[in-house]
Amino acid sequence: MALEGRTLNFNVGVLGHIDSGKTSLAKALSTTASTAAFDKNPQSKERGITLDLGFSSFSVPIPEHLAGTGYQRLQFTLVDCPGHASLIRTIIGGAQIIDLMMLVIDVTKGMQTQSAECLVIGQIACNKMVVVLNKIDLLAENKRQAAIDKMTKKMQKTLENTKFHGSPIISVAAKPGGPEAPESVTGLGVSDLIELLMSHTYLPQRDPQGPFLMAVDHCFSIKGQGTVMTGTILSGSISLNDNVEIPALKVTKKVKSMQMFHKPVSQAVQGDRLGICVTQFDPKLLERGLVCTPESLHTIHAAIISVNKIPYYKGSLQTKAKFHITVSHETVMAKVTFFSLPPASFNEELPANVFDFGKEYLYQDGYISKDSKNSEQNKVDNHQGEEAIPKQQWALLEFEKPVTCPKLCLVIGSKLDTDIHSNTCRLAFHGVLIEGVEDKNYSESFLPNLKVYKLKHKEGQVERVNDDYCIIGRSLFKKETNIQLFVGLKVKLSTGEDGVIEGSFGQSGKFKIRIPSHRLTWAVKSNVLGGTNPPYTRFLCERFSFFPLQYMVTSSQDIGRSD
């Protein structure tokens, strides 16, 4: 919220393809550089690309449309995200803390692979965007405006089917002459860009209530003072002398002093860019991570998330596949299991960001979408010719190593091991973390409470009529199958009657079926007694718990307890 009580902080993400000129643009816009700004990483300087999130700022008078909000000045904090393909996870970390996205496009090249991925991230994590066509100085003056107009139309077409349809597009030259040009060179169109950014600012929702949580992106020591952690406050507020916890290290420290862009402050709230100074802490222990109110965050080994496939991802989302999962500032590998409500409830919509453990869910071989194989299988399972797509889908994530993150945080699943030179989107799905599981032995303590079922269809035969309400069936189970596991499950006779399995009959895999609603029809009795075309039984909705795992299907021919 506040810098000396009167300045509104507004976070602008500067994203785009490598060499699109993001860092030069941030330099041209900024007057105050933070500790993380402008490619200070030695490796970054050597390679000439941004390797980590860089932060810088500039301050302007509060715009007219924000007058009367209690602020006198507007501070833009620029989050310069790397554009190198292999560092997409860093971009994801930056995208979660921005209020407006500035997509930088090299006007001579247009949309490229990483700029497309940045656009995807923006659609997930941000609601407003400005497109900046950079490097217009490279265009011949007599053809410059025509080239700008052509690229503007291309970008408008690209944005047509996105949430950023109609976003403003502006052309600039952040540093005419390129990287080697002297620092004194003035950019083209930078003042117009500042005016455009000012006109598109809004009052972000800043809630000082709730536990303090800050995403730390840099940590360094200052001789004689202590260790400084810089980052952006994701939730809550903080004051001098408050205790903060570094949950990944299980360490708690007292806040000695705080600064916002070199100006001391006594309090800061959600959305603010902040430096916190603590004592007796080795900065090498924390390059990036989370700092929070003590005991407000927990480390989890598994999670349930809501899930939506990213339409630009061309691969399939299969259960048991492993994806790179980005939560907060961490990226870890996790195994994914997809599930939804049963087909009869596909159109039911449960409350967002809440998981109902009282419901029963359908195990899926993969995420169901119009173009997925799982959608085709679903037609078969539902005995319908039309596509059946669930309104909501979820996934169980099982992390290869524990992660520390808040509830309801953004989750992005990627295939970051895809060839970085391939012209394809590596971002696969996104969602919200609804339930985190702290217990390391979650397979025993948590999974049995998750009512996820598989559907299985099998056919057997009616051997004989036992009485007016009961028949004996065979050829549905093997001799060694524990039929007791299937007592109460529904079956349907080929003659139309519905029944339930009542129990085993003898030791050879035969079983009793009770027809509770009415007496057996004459057709059933005559067919069985006559010995011709005996009716067969079919499981319409035979199901079994996918968790715990010992109740999984062992083969396509048998259902039972696996050894």
Side-chain angles (χ1 to χ4, degrees):
M1 177 182 74
L3 179 61
E4 300 175 348
R6 308 301 297 170
T7 299
L8 173 66
N9 185 62
F10 195 80
N11 298 311
V12 178
V14 188
L15 291 87
H17 193 86
I18 181 175
D19 292 333
S20 59
K22 300 180 303 300
T23 303
S24 296
L25 184 59
K27 279 185 178 179
L29 288 169
S30 300
T31 56
T32 305
S34 80
T35 57
F38 308 141
D39 287 353
K40 291 199 172 185
N41 187 305
Q43 187 186 359
S44 180
K45 284 184 177 180
E46 182 182 328
R47 293 169 62 184
I49 62 170
T50 306
L51 286 174
D52 217 329
L53 300 180
F55 294 83
S56 55
S57 76
F58 65 95
S59 182
V60 296
I62 201 78
E64 270 188 40
H65 66 280
L66 293 179
T69 57
Y71 298 100
Q72 291 181 340
R73 293 193 68 77
L74 172 64
Q75 174 179 272
F76 286 99
T77 295
L78 304 176
V79 186
D80 178 16
C81 298
H84 195 272
S86 63
L87 300 172
I88 193 74
R89 67 194 62 167
T90 309
I91 298 179
I92 296 171
Q96 296 181 61
I97 57 176
I98 63 177
D99 301 312
L100 180 144
M101 175 177 167
M102 192 158 60
L103 182 63
V104 184
I105 302 293
D106 183 335
V107 73
T108 66
K109 297 177 180 177
M111 285 289 288
Q112 295 170 273
T113 304
Q114 284 84 58
S115 47
E117 288 183 331
C118 291
L119 179 57
V120 170
I121 294 169
Q123 286 197 88
I124 296 168
C126 194
N127 291 316
K128 281 204 168 192
M129 186 177 76
V130 169
V131 178
V132 180
L133 303 179
N134 194 19
K135 301 188 178 183
I136 60 170
D137 58 302
L138 299 181
L139 302 171
E141 278 197 53
N142 60 337
K143 298 179 180 178
R144 182 174 297 172
Q145 194 54 52
I148 290 172
D149 292 343
K150 184 179 179 181
M151 186 58 68
T152 299
K153 286 179 181 177
K154 279 187 177 181
M155 290 305 304
Q156 287 170 339
K157 184 73 175 173
T158 299
L159 301 177
E160 201 169 51
N161 296 317
T162 73
K163 69 192 290 187
F164 300 121
H165 173 67
S167 292
I169 302 173
I170 189 171
S171 55
V172 305
K175 192 172 185 183
E180 305 306 319
E183 295 294 329
S184 57
V185 172
T186 304
L188 304 176
V190 175
S191 297
D192 293 336
L193 176 56
I194 292 175
E195 290 292 331
L196 180 64
L197 289 174
M198 289 176 65
S199 68
H200 281 75
T201 53
Y202 58 93
L203 200 61
Q205 290 186 343
R206 308 295 199 214
D207 184 7
Q209 303 303 314
F212 167 74
L213 178 64
M214 185 171 90
V216 174
D217 43 71
H218 286 80
C219 191
F220 57 94
S221 61
I222 298 179
K223 193 172 182 179
Q225 294 192 41
T227 297
V228 176
M229 298 177 285
T230 64
T232 302
I233 302 177
L234 302 179
S235 65
S237 61
I238 188 170
S239 301
L240 281 177
N241 299 317
D242 281 354
N243 287 324
V244 294
E245 181 187 7
I246 305 163
L249 304 174
K250 307 294 183 189
V251 171
T252 300
K253 293 291 178 182
K254 180 176 282 191
V255 177
K256 181 182 175 184
S257 61
M258 301 191 301
Q259 285 191 2
M260 289 188 199
F261 291 99
H262 308 301
K263 295 183 179 180
V265 293
S266 59
Q267 187 180 24
V269 302
Q270 182 187 47
D272 281 337
R273 178 79 189 150
L274 184 68
I276 295 175
C277 183
V278 299
T279 57
Q280 297 181 332
F281 179 69
D282 184 356
K284 293 177 182 177
L285 296 175
L286 183 73
E287 170 59 22
R288 162 167 292 158
L290 296 171
V291 175
C292 63
T293 299
E295 298 184 0
S296 64
L297 275 192
H298 304 285
T299 299
I300 61 175
H301 296 267
I304 295 174
I305 67 167
S306 61
V307 63
N308 293 282
K309 184 179 180 182
I310 292 171
Y312 306 102
Y313 181 73
K314 300 305 180 186
S316 60
L317 303 182
Q318 294 299 314
T319 284
K320 296 184 181 178
K322 290 186 177 181
F323 288 86
H324 292 89
I325 304 297
T326 300
V327 284
S328 295
H329 278 259
E330 293 190 66
T331 298
V332 298
M333 293 295 291
K335 185 175 76 173
V336 184
T337 301
F338 295 99
F339 58 94
S340 67
L341 289 171
S345 304
F346 269 6
N347 291 324
E348 184 180 346
E349 195 160 357
L350 301 183
N353 301 335
V354 175
F355 189 77
D356 188 347
F357 284 93
K359 293 275 187 184
E360 294 179 350
Y361 299 90
L362 174 67
Y363 169 91
Q364 296 171 183
D365 291 326
Y367 184 88
I368 299 175
S369 60
K370 287 183 179 179
D371 57 349
S372 69
K373 293 179 181 177
N374 303 301
S375 175
E376 290 299 314
Q377 181 59 46
N378 208 51
K379 289 184 194 177
V380 177
D381 290 344
N382 285 292
H383 310 288
Q384 298 171 355
E386 60 187 35
E387 290 177 339
I389 309 296
K391 244 183 183 179
Q392 292 171 294
Q393 297 182 62
W394 295 268
L396 170 72
L397 303 180
E398 299 179 79
F399 300 111
E400 287 193 351
K401 64 177 185 178
V403 297
T404 302
C405 59
K407 195 175 179 181
L408 302 182
C409 67
L410 173 65
V411 178
I412 297 181
S414 315
K415 283 287 188 180
L416 298 180
D417 47 0
T418 305
D419 181 7
I420 63 174
H421 302 294
S422 64
N423 187 24
T424 182
C425 178
R426 295 166 298 157
L427 309 181
F429 62 85
H430 68 94
V432 173
L433 193 149
I434 305 172
E435 291 286 340
V437 187
E438 295 177 58
D439 190 349
K440 190 175 181 179
N441 298 316
Y442 62 88
S443 59
E444 298 173 6
S445 63
F446 174 78
L447 293 188
N449 299 320
L450 187 56
K451 299 175 183 176
V452 175
Y453 296 94
K454 268 192 175 182
L455 294 180
K456 181 87 172 179
H457 298 273
K458 291 194 70 177
E459 292 183 357
Q461 288 185 323
V462 174
E463 180 167 282
R464 63 183 174 85
V465 175
N466 200 40
D467 57 41
D468 283 347
Y469 295 95
C470 183
I471 57 177
I472 305 302
R474 60 179 171 83
S475 304
L476 199 62
F477 302 112
K478 290 183 178 179
K479 179 180 178 180
E480 60 270 20
T481 299
N482 181 4
I483 296 176
Q484 197 62 33
L485 293 172
F486 305 95
V487 170
L489 295 186
K490 295 177 183 177
V491 298
K492 191 177 188 73
L493 302 188
S494 57
T495 47
E497 291 83 2
D498 292 313
V500 294
I501 294 178
E502 193 173 54
S504 60
F505 184 81
Q507 303 296 317
S508 60
K510 295 178 182 179
F511 54 96
K512 289 190 285 187
I513 300 172
R514 178 157 292 277
I515 312 295
S517 56
H518 48 70
R519 288 170 176 259
L520 289 168
T521 64
W522 176 85
V524 175
K525 290 183 178 180
S526 62
N527 276 343
V528 173
L529 295 173
T532 59
N533 300 320
Y536 59 82
T537 64
R538 174 186 292 144
F539 276 106
L540 275 190
C541 188
E542 179 187 325
R543 50 174 205 178
F544 66 96
S545 175
F546 186 71
F547 305 114
L549 297 181
Q550 63 262 33
Y551 293 101
M552 287 177 60
V553 170
T554 55
S555 76
S556 60
Q557 299 300 315
D558 181 40
I559 305 176
R561 187 183 294 269
S562 62
D563 295 327

PDB file of all heavy atoms in Angstrom, residues 86 99 104 144 186 195 211 239 253 271 362 419 422 474 490 497:
ATOM      1  N   SER A  86      15.056 -21.644 -21.378  1.00  0.00           N
ATOM      2  CA  SER A  86      15.270 -22.579 -20.280  1.00  0.00           C
ATOM      3  C   SER A  86      14.930 -21.971 -18.920  1.00  0.00           C
ATOM      4  O   SER A  86      14.925 -22.653 -17.915  1.00  0.00           O
ATOM      5  CB  SER A  86      16.722 -23.053 -20.266  1.00  0.00           C
ATOM      6  OG  SER A  86      17.586 -21.962 -20.039  1.00  0.00           O
ATOM      7  N   ASP A  99       0.634  -6.654 -11.482  1.00  0.00           N
ATOM      8  CA  ASP A  99      -0.703  -6.074 -11.628  1.00  0.00           C
ATOM      9  C   ASP A  99      -1.040  -5.800 -13.091  1.00  0.00           C
ATOM     10  O   ASP A  99      -2.209  -5.767 -13.472  1.00  0.00           O
ATOM     11  CB  ASP A  99      -0.807  -4.760 -10.839  1.00  0.00           C
ATOM     12  CG  ASP A  99      -0.539  -4.953  -9.358  1.00  0.00           C
ATOM     13  OD1 ASP A  99      -1.131  -5.900  -8.786  1.00  0.00           O
ATOM     14  OD2 ASP A  99       0.248  -4.188  -8.772  1.00  0.00           O
ATOM     15  N   VAL A 104       6.815  -7.271 -24.403  1.00  0.00           N
ATOM     16  CA  VAL A 104       7.756  -6.585 -25.292  1.00  0.00           C
ATOM     17  C   VAL A 104       8.021  -7.460 -26.514  1.00  0.00           C
ATOM     18  O   VAL A 104       8.423  -8.618 -26.387  1.00  0.00           O
ATOM     19  CB  VAL A 104       9.077  -6.271 -24.558  1.00  0.00           C
ATOM     20  CG1 VAL A 104      10.010  -5.467 -25.465  1.00  0.00           C
ATOM     21  CG2 VAL A 104       8.792  -5.492 -23.270  1.00  0.00           C
ATOM     22  N   ARG A 144       9.208   2.973 -41.897  1.00  0.00           N
ATOM     23  CA  ARG A 144       8.987   2.667 -40.475  1.00  0.00           C
ATOM     24  C   ARG A 144       7.518   2.572 -40.108  1.00  0.00           C
ATOM     25  O   ARG A 144       7.066   1.582 -39.523  1.00  0.00           O
ATOM     26  CB  ARG A 144       9.700   3.717 -39.607  1.00  0.00           C
ATOM     27  CG  ARG A 144       9.567   3.464 -38.111  1.00  0.00           C
ATOM     28  CD  ARG A 144      10.408   4.446 -37.312  1.00  0.00           C
ATOM     29  NE  ARG A 144      11.828   4.272 -37.600  1.00  0.00           N
ATOM     30  CZ  ARG A 144      12.777   5.100 -37.146  1.00  0.00           C
ATOM     31  NH1 ARG A 144      12.446   6.155 -36.428  1.00  0.00           N
ATOM     32  NH2 ARG A 144      14.042   4.875 -37.434  1.00  0.00           N
ATOM     33  N   THR A 186      18.780   9.029 -25.830  1.00  0.00           N
ATOM     34  CA  THR A 186      17.382   9.114 -25.375  1.00  0.00           C
ATOM     35  C   THR A 186      16.508   8.164 -26.188  1.00  0.00           C
ATOM     36  O   THR A 186      16.609   8.111 -27.418  1.00  0.00           O
ATOM     37  CB  THR A 186      16.839  10.539 -25.528  1.00  0.00           C
ATOM     38  OG1 THR A 186      17.695  11.428 -24.811  1.00  0.00           O
ATOM     39  CG2 THR A 186      15.427  10.645 -24.979  1.00  0.00           C
ATOM     40  N   GLU A 195       2.881   7.605 -20.273  1.00  0.00           N
ATOM     41  CA  GLU A 195       1.511   8.140 -20.262  1.00  0.00           C
ATOM     42  C   GLU A 195       0.496   7.005 -20.430  1.00  0.00           C
ATOM     43  O   GLU A 195      -0.549   6.991 -19.778  1.00  0.00           O
ATOM     44  CB  GLU A 195       1.341   9.167 -21.392  1.00  0.00           C
ATOM     45  CG  GLU A 195       2.104  10.479 -21.182  1.00  0.00           C
ATOM     46  CD  GLU A 195       1.534  11.302 -20.031  1.00  0.00           C
ATOM     47  OE1 GLU A 195       0.314  11.187 -19.760  1.00  0.00           O
ATOM     48  OE2 GLU A 195       2.311  12.043 -19.398  1.00  0.00           O
ATOM     49  N   PRO A 211      -2.347 -13.508   7.389  1.00  0.00           N
ATOM     50  CA  PRO A 211      -0.917 -13.738   7.631  1.00  0.00           C
ATOM     51  C   PRO A 211      -0.046 -13.040   6.580  1.00  0.00           C
ATOM     52  O   PRO A 211      -0.413 -12.944   5.411  1.00  0.00           O
ATOM     53  CB  PRO A 211      -0.773 -15.266   7.523  1.00  0.00           C
ATOM     54  CG  PRO A 211      -2.154 -15.811   7.664  1.00  0.00           C
ATOM     55  CD  PRO A 211      -3.075 -14.772   7.132  1.00  0.00           C
ATOM     56  N   SER A 239       5.309  -4.997  10.046  1.00  0.00           N
ATOM     57  CA  SER A 239       5.787  -3.793  10.716  1.00  0.00           C
ATOM     58  C   SER A 239       7.157  -4.067  11.325  1.00  0.00           C
ATOM     59  O   SER A 239       7.573  -5.227  11.483  1.00  0.00           O
ATOM     60  CB  SER A 239       4.807  -3.370  11.825  1.00  0.00           C
ATOM     61  OG  SER A 239       3.522  -3.116  11.298  1.00  0.00           O
ATOM     62  N   LYS A 253      13.116 -14.999  12.510  1.00  0.00           N
ATOM     63  CA  LYS A 253      13.954 -13.829  12.757  1.00  0.00           C
ATOM     64  C   LYS A 253      13.079 -12.599  13.016  1.00  0.00           C
ATOM     65  O   LYS A 253      11.939 -12.523  12.557  1.00  0.00           O
ATOM     66  CB  LYS A 253      14.857 -13.549  11.549  1.00  0.00           C
ATOM     67  CG  LYS A 253      15.927 -14.622  11.311  1.00  0.00           C
ATOM     68  CD  LYS A 253      16.980 -14.593  12.404  1.00  0.00           C
ATOM     69  CE  LYS A 253      18.036 -15.675  12.209  1.00  0.00           C
ATOM     70  NZ  LYS A 253      19.030 -15.677  13.302  1.00  0.00           N
ATOM     71  N   GLY A 271       1.329  -6.290  -1.990  1.00  0.00           N
ATOM     72  CA  GLY A 271       1.622  -5.585  -3.234  1.00  0.00           C
ATOM     73  C   GLY A 271       2.864  -4.729  -3.190  1.00  0.00           C
ATOM     74  O   GLY A 271       3.378  -4.324  -4.235  1.00  0.00           O
ATOM     75  N   LEU A 362     -14.637 -39.629 -10.320  1.00  0.00           N
ATOM     76  CA  LEU A 362     -14.290 -40.616 -11.341  1.00  0.00           C
ATOM     77  C   LEU A 362     -12.813 -40.508 -11.717  1.00  0.00           C
ATOM     78  O   LEU A 362     -12.341 -39.435 -12.111  1.00  0.00           O
ATOM     79  CB  LEU A 362     -15.148 -40.392 -12.586  1.00  0.00           C
ATOM     80  CG  LEU A 362     -14.820 -41.256 -13.812  1.00  0.00           C
ATOM     81  CD1 LEU A 362     -15.146 -42.715 -13.524  1.00  0.00           C
ATOM     82  CD2 LEU A 362     -15.572 -40.760 -15.032  1.00  0.00           C
ATOM     83  N   ASP A 419      12.564 -29.805 -25.951  1.00  0.00           N
ATOM     84  CA  ASP A 419      13.643 -29.120 -26.653  1.00  0.00           C
ATOM     85  C   ASP A 419      13.363 -27.617 -26.695  1.00  0.00           C
ATOM     86  O   ASP A 419      12.324 -27.174 -27.202  1.00  0.00           O
ATOM     87  CB  ASP A 419      13.758 -29.668 -28.078  1.00  0.00           C
ATOM     88  CG  ASP A 419      14.894 -29.009 -28.866  1.00  0.00           C
ATOM     89  OD1 ASP A 419      15.669 -28.236 -28.264  1.00  0.00           O
ATOM     90  OD2 ASP A 419      15.002 -29.286 -30.073  1.00  0.00           O
ATOM     91  N   SER A 422      12.488 -26.074 -30.013  1.00  0.00           N
ATOM     92  CA  SER A 422      11.285 -26.468 -30.742  1.00  0.00           C
ATOM     93  C   SER A 422      10.239 -25.364 -30.651  1.00  0.00           C
ATOM     94  O   SER A 422      10.094 -24.709 -29.627  1.00  0.00           O
ATOM     95  CB  SER A 422      10.713 -27.774 -30.172  1.00  0.00           C
ATOM     96  OG  SER A 422      10.288 -27.579 -28.833  1.00  0.00           O
ATOM     97  N   ARG A 474     -22.495 -66.616 -12.815  1.00  0.00           N
ATOM     98  CA  ARG A 474     -21.156 -67.169 -12.969  1.00  0.00           C
ATOM     99  C   ARG A 474     -20.421 -66.400 -14.075  1.00  0.00           C
ATOM    100  O   ARG A 474     -20.973 -65.529 -14.718  1.00  0.00           O
ATOM    101  CB  ARG A 474     -21.223 -68.655 -13.313  1.00  0.00           C
ATOM    102  CG  ARG A 474     -21.955 -68.969 -14.607  1.00  0.00           C
ATOM    103  CD  ARG A 474     -21.962 -70.467 -14.883  1.00  0.00           C
ATOM    104  NE  ARG A 474     -22.833 -70.829 -15.992  1.00  0.00           N
ATOM    105  CZ  ARG A 474     -22.498 -70.766 -17.284  1.00  0.00           C
ATOM    106  NH1 ARG A 474     -21.277 -70.326 -17.622  1.00  0.00           N
ATOM    107  NH2 ARG A 474     -23.342 -71.131 -18.230  1.00  0.00           N
ATOM    108  N   LYS A 490     -24.103 -52.685  -8.317  1.00  0.00           N
ATOM    109  CA  LYS A 490     -25.260 -52.908  -9.180  1.00  0.00           C
ATOM    110  C   LYS A 490     -24.912 -53.759 -10.394  1.00  0.00           C
ATOM    111  O   LYS A 490     -23.827 -53.653 -10.950  1.00  0.00           O
ATOM    112  CB  LYS A 490     -25.815 -51.559  -9.650  1.00  0.00           C
ATOM    113  CG  LYS A 490     -26.367 -50.698  -8.534  1.00  0.00           C
ATOM    114  CD  LYS A 490     -26.832 -49.351  -9.078  1.00  0.00           C
ATOM    115  CE  LYS A 490     -27.327 -48.452  -7.946  1.00  0.00           C
ATOM    116  NZ  LYS A 490     -27.726 -47.111  -8.453  1.00  0.00           N
ATOM    117  N   GLU A 497     -33.835 -56.343 -15.972  1.00  0.00           N
ATOM    118  CA  GLU A 497     -33.933 -56.190 -14.519  1.00  0.00           C
ATOM    119  C   GLU A 497     -32.641 -55.618 -13.919  1.00  0.00           C
ATOM    120  O   GLU A 497     -31.544 -55.922 -14.393  1.00  0.00           O
ATOM    121  CB  GLU A 497     -34.234 -57.541 -13.844  1.00  0.00           C
ATOM    122  CG  GLU A 497     -35.625 -58.101 -14.123  1.00  0.00           C
ATOM    123  CD  GLU A 497     -35.688 -58.846 -15.434  1.00  0.00           C
ATOM    124  OE1 GLU A 497     -34.643 -58.956 -16.112  1.00  0.00           O
ATOM    125  OE2 GLU A 497     -36.770 -59.327 -15.785  1.00  0.00           O
TER     126      GLU A 497
END
